[in-house]
Amino acid sequence: MPICGAASSAPTRVWRARWPRPDDALPFLEVRDRMCESHAYVLRNGREEKVLDDVTLLKPEAGSIVLKNLFGDEVRIRGRVEEIRFMDHKIILKEEL
């Protein structure tokens, strides 16, 4: 069973995995009402501005970053990837003028 519900667009309700050894530090993992797609933000004037929801593709292209989402929307940002926070589903880009 995939953690992120990759086969469907419905959020994963609760997923638990038991690790092979019962003495592991993380005995289970829970994901509640979250999809795997990330949200993209651009740093402008020290603030994060959301540019695209449900990002499924991030592709660097000649000094810019191309983002696409589930619905086929595409955004091109001239800049670079500043940070990706996998646990927060957040992509932060730094715009270069």
Side-chain angles (χ1 to χ4, degrees):
M1 176 179 197
I3 293 175
C4 298
S8 72
S9 61
T12 304
R13 293 292 175 200
V14 175
W15 179 84
R16 292 179 186 209
R18 295 282 172 201
W19 302 101
R21 298 187 336 245
D23 60 336
D24 278 347
L26 299 173
F28 63 89
L29 171 69
E30 284 192 12
V31 178
R32 294 186 183 272
D33 294 326
R34 299 200 61 175
M35 293 179 65
C36 287
E37 292 79 16
S38 296
H39 307 289
Y41 299 83
V42 172
L43 283 176
R44 291 186 180 130
N45 301 322
R47 297 181 55 188
E48 295 176 2
E49 294 181 21
K50 188 183 281 192
V51 292
L52 193 63
D53 285 322
D54 303 321
V55 175
T56 57
L57 173 76
L58 182 149
K59 184 177 180 182
E61 281 188 358
S64 64
I65 304 292
V66 176
L67 303 164
K68 289 186 182 180
N69 70 5
L70 281 172
F71 309 107
D73 300 328
E74 183 176 312
V75 174
R76 184 178 299 265
I77 303 290
R78 187 177 171 141
R80 62 182 175 82
V81 174
E82 179 74 14
E83 181 177 6
I84 298 176
R85 298 182 193 161
F86 293 107
M87 295 301 288
D88 295 331
H89 302 272
K90 201 171 198 179
I91 300 166
I92 301 173
L93 306 172
K94 182 151 186 176
E95 194 171 43
E96 296 174 354
L97 303 173

